[in-house]
Amino acid sequence: MSVLVDADTRVIVQGITGGEGTFHAKGMIEYGTNVVAGAVPGNGGQEVAGVPVYDTVHEAVRREDADASVVFVPPALAADALFEALDTSLDLVVAVTEGIPTQDMAKVTRRLSETETHLVGPNCPGVITPDEAKLGILPGDIFSSGPVGLVSRSGTLTYQVVDNLSNRGVGQTTAIGIGGDPIIGTSFIDALELFEADEETEAVAMCGEIGGEDEEQAAKYIASEMDTPVAAFIAGRTAPPGKRMGHAGAIVSGSGTGTAKSKIDALNNAGVPVGDTPEEIADHIEDVL
Amino acid sequence: MSVLVDADTRVIVQGITGGEGTFHAKGMIEYGTNVVAGAVPGNGGQEVAGVPVYDTVHEAVRREDADASVVFVPPALAADALFEALDTSLDLVVAVTEGIPTQDMAKVTRRLSETETHLVGPNCPGVITPDEAKLGILPGDIFSSGPVGLVSRSGTLTYQVVDNLSNRGVGQTTAIGIGGDPIIGTSFIDALELFEADEETEAVAMCGEIGGEDEEQAAKYIASEMDTPVAAFIAGRTAPPGKRMGHAGAIVSGSGTGTAKSKIDALNNAGVPVGDTPEEIADHIEDVL
Amino acid sequence: MKLHEYQAKAVFSDAGIPTPDSRLATTVDEAVAAGNDIGYPVVVKAQVHVGGRGKAGGIEVTTDEAELHEAADSILGMDLKGYHVDRVLVEAAVDFVDELYLGVTMDRNEGDPVAMVSSEGGVDIETVAEETPAAIAREGVDPAFGIHPYQARKAVYDAGIGGDVARDVSSVLATLYDLWVDSDASEAEINPLMLTEEGDVAAADAVMNIDDDALFRQPDLAEMEEASYTDDLERKAGEYGFDYVRLSGNVGIIGNGAGLVMATLDLVDHYGGAPANFLDIGGGAKAERVANALDMVFADENVDSVLFNIFGGITRGDEVARGINEALSQFDELPIPVVVRLAGTNADEGMELLTTELVHVERTLENAVQRAVDNAEGKA
Amino acid sequence: MKLHEYQAKAVFSDAGIPTPDSRLATTVDEAVAAGNDIGYPVVVKAQVHVGGRGKAGGIEVTTDEAELHEAADSILGMDLKGYHVDRVLVEAAVDFVDELYLGVTMDRNEGDPVAMVSSEGGVDIETVAEETPAAIAREGVDPAFGIHPYQARKAVYDAGIGGDVARDVSSVLATLYDLWVDSDASEAEINPLMLTEEGDVAAADAVMNIDDDALFRQPDLAEMEEASYTDDLERKAGEYGFDYVRLSGNVGIIGNGAGLVMATLDLVDHYGGAPANFLDIGGGAKAERVANALDMVFADENVDSVLFNIFGGITRGDEVARGINEALSQFDELPIPVVVRLAGTNADEGMELLTTELVHVERTLENAVQRAVDNAEGKA
């Protein structure tokens, strides 16, 4: 078992005719992902990376019976592409695109909340179930199959942690890069819920970073709802307060949250060991397995 | 028992300081309705018809523990008043206002669909549970308490049918004037569902008219879901096609629906007797009681 | 409120939808000047609120000045389904390879807007809708978000319109939707949207109807309103602010509330009579309004009998009675018999007030209708 | 992207929000002319992207020409928290009876916009938020519908602002929200919104920050962008398009991906070193970008040791290695030691390409960081 994706997931690629879209569609197919179509308006009838391209997501989904989509559409057009994907009732939409305007994403997630679709991202590396399927841009060869679920806000930091795990022979059920944007589809809690419900996931590695309160909220969820053990890493312990957001943002986010300390404290209070280094999170995971 | 309103319903009046609002607030109170407050921006602190006025619906609801609202706000401001009412999670909102722009109502009902609130109207005479409470502008003295639920798209036609029933000694559980606008909150089916679930309602009188497909859809619902007997009246048998809507409207509504014949046929097929005159619907109701 | 074709085209053009070059003309000379200015061939189109103008002779294609002169001369001043033609639109005739239909309206059953596209444009689209509904692609729009670009594209592709033109057509559809919203339209249509050999698009006809209830916030569009009636009675109803439809019978009917008035018409028919009109004086009608309504019905020379049916809710019976008395005070004897039936709020007070030497009072709807039908038959 | 106060006020004023009369001045003479034109008293305000300008001496109230001359002379040219002041706004000093706070931003936790009102304006609103959060009324907005008028009113009444002014303040709040949406702002604030004795309102300060990711569709606002850096290194980072923050240590750090770079900083600290900077070269970094990054770190005279940490996903190790070789090709010997750690896509190919005479290669993150810290300590 795994979460979100497996070898049977039928995947379409929105924006497959673009440079990134083509490159990573090929990469996904090489990894073994069941990519069944692309969708790009005005490009229907073409074939890219060996799969047919349709003008609309609806047609691609209908004709190829797809259940997931990976979005490489440029930021100016990405929100529209996400609305289009949400309108087809896919199980999973992975938005790789970086730089989508925040207000666009607020509208997308407003709509998302009325659907049953899982949206991962945007600005995320994607989702991978090792040896079965990857949806996104993750470097497949560092992943290995095993009992650990992984969820992370950061791309390359995820790779670092996965590398540490795989090098010790600790494989992953599924790894979910949720993305670091202010507004994202799948939160830590959403991902933790999926892993908690997954029988094969015996432990969860969670990589957070400073900013927002998602980790603090996840800590509460872990304490009250989870049996599966969790170990964490939080990046940004030594980051200076740095260039602050304006007042309004600071008022809303409230004081005393969003720092590495508040996140680490919240997780420790929830019984979650937090590694000081990327190696230590792997230590903690090995401890609980 | 009754549906939507009873003697315990705590009612606020939006637009209570206006001429119509004051007049009908008094009328409702005289009927025995538990009117607890008014809400009019900029008029907080006043007292009208013996009840306190608040600046916001939220404050009125919070302070007076209200669970229903009647809206007499002028059409240009009515949609905002309805959104405000929906935002307070009231059980019932009755919109008496006539002439609300259709696109405003499309937005209101879009939001309504995400709430648990019953919206009756707009452009409707209101809801009355005889001898307990009336919310709206219905002439209370023609109603009498009894076993018949009544739902109608028309105001004065409702009064005619009620008069016929009351004169025969056939009283009503609750009468709901759903209003005749193209977009309304409570449809025939919504009202029929309420009556079907109400133990005291032994029969339902339903007054429709030409236009739309609400009666046709209600007929399907009655055939498949209702045990309570229903009798109907449809106004507009002799109305000429008259001034047609433009093409687009005609395309959407489709051919063969919306006429008195299509409605009467649909109801008859659902086993619903349809009176030729307002007296005949009373005959049919007496037959099934 | 309906916009004329030339008004709708101006609105569409301002929003960036391509329309053919055109001029409005009120005289044959103006029409000829317009044609010479635009260059032939040109189409001459009557500007009246009537469907099927083409079949009725209100639209003609002309290829030179002489033809244009003749066409303008015949169309200007003509009577088109009861409407007088006092203006024509002279417009460049577009050379097209295909004709599409685009429309936006409110889907009353869904309670949501809907955008529509068909490749079967240029013909009676209602017939297409009935005979081959699949030929019209429909895309429901969430009024909270408005139309998403993908929805306009999807409707166009679903209608079987592909290739390079798909982008332009979706763009026109999205613009049409935005116009529909911004203008508080009930309907906005382009039929046909012409496709030229060069791959351009042009709106060769334009329909735009505005929600009357929203005119208060559409001052620019409200200014375009032009009252057009086929007869004096409709004009009078417009001035008085009544919902009025003239019918072919001889029983004049006045009532309050559309449902009750329709039911009264139905009852007249049921008892063997024929209604002369539908006239709803609305809720809370005061004495003056009642008098105006009687004035209207008396002015209809087809009417042989009047039935006045009021069920009081907001409307009070005593007010109505005063209005009736006031309207009838000028008469010693009525030109035609009037039956009054009052019920509901203050009905008894009203009936006491009525001058029963002039009107006949009935307490039940059925009796009132029967009496009015009898009266009409006695006179007929 | 941050707008200056004078820019934000122009945007607010265009949208109908009342602002005090003001002029921008770049010289003392211009400032004096502005003051004489507006009439005294006037406020002189430094136009720099710095919070707490008042406390730092960047804002002064003047009551006559002499005072204005002195104030403008002292503020123009001053260094405010590292930023050079080359412009001041000269503005009519409003006589107020009350100061409010209005703000609109994205509530990241809810994923929805939020409109805020407080009667405790004119002071550090963050302190108010911490000490008396109830003093700030918050109204979450559904981004699909935008702010409803009732929501603006509710926030104002909830903030305890009643009476006649409530209508004007709600209207300003609704306008501020609409501006926030139309401008793709991340934040829009008025602090204070002054209430005058006459019951008028005026935005005495204005904050407007625009979402950088949305600048592509905000060409008018994008044109207002003025690069402002406290030093040459930040300017360089801006030109190269790097996410860069200068810190106080001596270990220069280059990496890809914010999380990994932050984790690298943390590890440097963990092993007893001190990072000199945060530098994220982003995903898919090509050779030239890598060379630019090295150029930047070498240009920082505080740097005694460089750590290059790349985990390849989109970024390919061989590309990175070529960039490093290219950047180092000008040196026979490096000015400061460089440790490189490559992992992920094409890491092995990359490591083979590296000129190991110049750089030290490590395979694990921990070893690389320890080596870089050792290098820094050896030099310190």
Side-chain angles (χ1 to χ4, degrees), chain B residues 99-114:
Chain B
I100 303 178
T102 305
Q103 294 197 18
D104 285 4
M105 281 311 303
K107 287 186 181 167
V108 169
T109 54
R110 165 66 168 88
R111 179 77 193 97
L112 178 71
S113 68
E114 299 176 299

Side-chain angles (χ1 to χ4, degrees), chain B residues 2-283:
Chain B
S2 58
V3 306
L4 293 175
V5 298
D6 60 29
D8 297 328
T9 305
R10 298 177 64 83
V11 180
I12 64 166
V13 177
Q14 291 177 253
I16 198 170
T17 53
E20 281 219 27
T22 304
F23 179 79
H24 291 292
K26 287 177 182 165
M28 288 188 266
I29 291 168
E30 275 162 26
Y31 192 76
T33 312
N34 192 9
V35 175
V36 295
V40 182
N43 288 260
Q46 294 185 22
E47 192 176 287
V48 172
V51 299
V53 180
Y54 298 96
D55 286 311
T56 67
V57 175
H58 286 80
E59 194 183 356
V61 170
R62 192 173 61 240
R63 297 270 203 105
E64 307 296 342
D65 199 22
D67 39 36
S69 171
V70 189
V71 178
F72 291 98
V73 173
L77 308 172
D80 189 47
L82 293 178
F83 274 111
E84 185 172 8
L86 292 179
D87 196 27
T88 56
S89 306
L90 292 164
D91 296 329
L92 173 66
V93 177
V94 174
V96 174
T97 310
E98 181 181 351
I100 303 178
T102 305
Q103 294 197 18
D104 285 4
M105 281 311 303
K107 287 186 181 167
V108 169
T109 54
R110 165 66 168 88
R111 179 77 193 97
L112 178 71
S113 68
E114 299 176 299
T115 72
E116 300 296 313
T117 302
H118 290 281
L119 169 67
V120 175
N123 190 16
C124 80
V127 181
I128 186 168
T129 293
D131 302 341
E132 299 208 25
K134 79 159 176 171
L135 278 67
I137 61 174
L138 307 126
D141 53 1
I142 60 170
F143 293 86
S144 56
S145 186
V148 177
L150 188 137
V151 54
S152 172
R153 269 170 71 182
S154 160
T156 46
L157 179 57
T158 312
Y159 310 159
Q160 177 66 48
V161 171
V162 166
D163 208 34
N164 292 349
L165 289 170
S166 291
N167 286 341
R168 295 165 184 229
V170 178
Q172 304 89 43
T173 49
T174 300
I176 309 172
I178 60 174
D181 273 8
I183 298 185
I184 53 177
T186 296
S187 66
F188 276 120
I189 291 179
D190 298 329
L192 292 170
E193 275 177 356
L194 292 168
F195 287 127
E196 174 70 9
D198 178 48
E199 284 178 18
E200 277 191 12
T201 299
E202 295 168 22
V204 178
M206 169 180 159
C207 299
E209 59 186 48
I210 51 171
E213 296 176 26
D214 216 19
E215 291 84 352
E216 286 89 335
Q217 289 167 358
K220 283 184 202 158
Y221 171 79
I222 294 166
S224 66
E225 308 290 334
M226 280 188 82
D227 291 325
T228 313
V230 179
F233 180 80
I234 301 293
R237 293 162 185 248
T238 56
K243 294 174 182 178
R244 291 290 302 278
M245 294 167 67
H247 297 301
I251 295 170
V252 167
S253 64
S255 62
T257 60
T259 64
K261 186 176 183 319
S262 84
K263 291 172 194 299
I264 293 168
D265 288 351
L267 288 163
N268 282 335
N269 288 339
V272 176
V274 181
D276 278 344
T277 70
E279 282 292 347
E280 274 187 35
I281 181 174
D283 294 342

Side-chain angles (χ1 to χ4, degrees), chain D residues 9 18 20 45 96 98-102 118 120-123 189-195 201-206:
Chain D
K9 278 189 172 157
K45 299 166 161 179
F96 59 91
D98 215 344
E99 296 181 302
L100 312 180
Y101 167 86
L102 305 186
S118 177
E120 315 263 316
V123 297
E189 286 184 306
I190 302 174
N191 187 21
L193 180 75
M194 287 177 170
L195 304 187
V201 299
D205 197 1

Side-chain angles (χ1 to χ4, degrees), chain C residues 144-145, chain D residues 144-145:
Chain C
F145 288 97
Chain D
F145 288 97

Side-chain angles (χ1 to χ4, degrees), chain D residues 215-233:
Chain D
L215 282 178
F216 70 88
R217 63 185 177 198
Q218 298 290 347
D220 294 344
L221 295 172
E223 269 192 14
M224 293 184 186
E225 182 156 25
E226 291 169 8
S228 68
Y229 305 105
T230 50
D231 67 23
D232 287 344
L233 273 175

Side-chain angles (χ1 to χ4, degrees), chain B residues 246-248, chain C residues 1-20 22 43 45-53 59 89 91 99-104 122-123 125 172 176 179-180 183 185 187-194 202-210 221 224:
Chain B
H247 297 301
Chain C
M1 171 209 158
K2 293 179 178 178
L3 297 192
H4 282 294
E5 178 194 4
Y6 78 92
Q7 294 170 325
K9 278 188 172 157
V11 172
F12 287 10
S13 179
D14 285 349
I17 296 175
T19 53
S22 68
V43 193
K45 299 166 161 180
Q47 298 298 293
V48 282
H49 293 307
V50 165
R53 286 174 299 168
I59 299 182
L89 189 67
E91 182 175 84
E99 295 181 302
L100 312 180
Y101 167 85
L102 305 187
V104 179
V123 296
I125 196 69
V172 171
L176 191 69
L179 263 182
W180 181 85
S183 310
E187 285 163 319
E189 287 184 306
I190 301 173
N191 186 22
L193 180 76
M194 286 177 170
D205 196 0
V207 170
M208 183 100 150
N209 300 336
I210 312 299
L221 295 171
M224 293 185 186

Side-chain angles (χ1 to χ4, degrees), chain C residues 49-175:
Chain C
H49 293 307
V50 165
R53 286 174 299 168
K55 282 183 192 160
I59 299 182
E60 286 193 35
V61 183
T62 67
T63 57
D64 59 29
E65 181 173 329
E67 279 183 29
L68 171 56
H69 194 287
E70 193 178 341
D73 194 43
S74 86
I75 294 175
L76 277 166
M78 83 188 294
D79 186 83
L80 211 65
K81 298 187 181 176
Y83 292 87
H84 178 78
V85 179
D86 56 8
R87 277 165 304 181
V88 293
L89 189 67
V90 180
E91 182 175 84
V94 177
D95 213 17
F96 59 91
V97 294
D98 215 342
E99 295 181 302
L100 312 180
Y101 167 85
L102 305 187
V104 179
T105 189
M106 189 66 77
D107 184 341
R108 183 175 169 158
N109 295 320
E110 295 293 329
D112 283 331
V114 60
M116 296 177 288
V117 181
S118 176
S119 59
E120 313 264 316
V123 296
D124 179 4
I125 196 69
E126 285 182 63
T127 309
V128 175
E130 271 183 41
E131 293 175 359
T132 51
I136 300 176
R138 297 159 195 223
E139 184 72 18
V141 179
D142 183 338
F145 288 97
I147 198 166
H148 295 291
Y150 85 83
Q151 294 186 289
R153 291 195 305 266
K154 177 169 176 286
V156 169
Y157 285 119
D158 282 353
I161 300 158
D164 291 342
V165 82
R167 177 189 299 254
D168 284 344
V169 178
S170 347
S171 163
V172 171
L173 183 62
T175 304

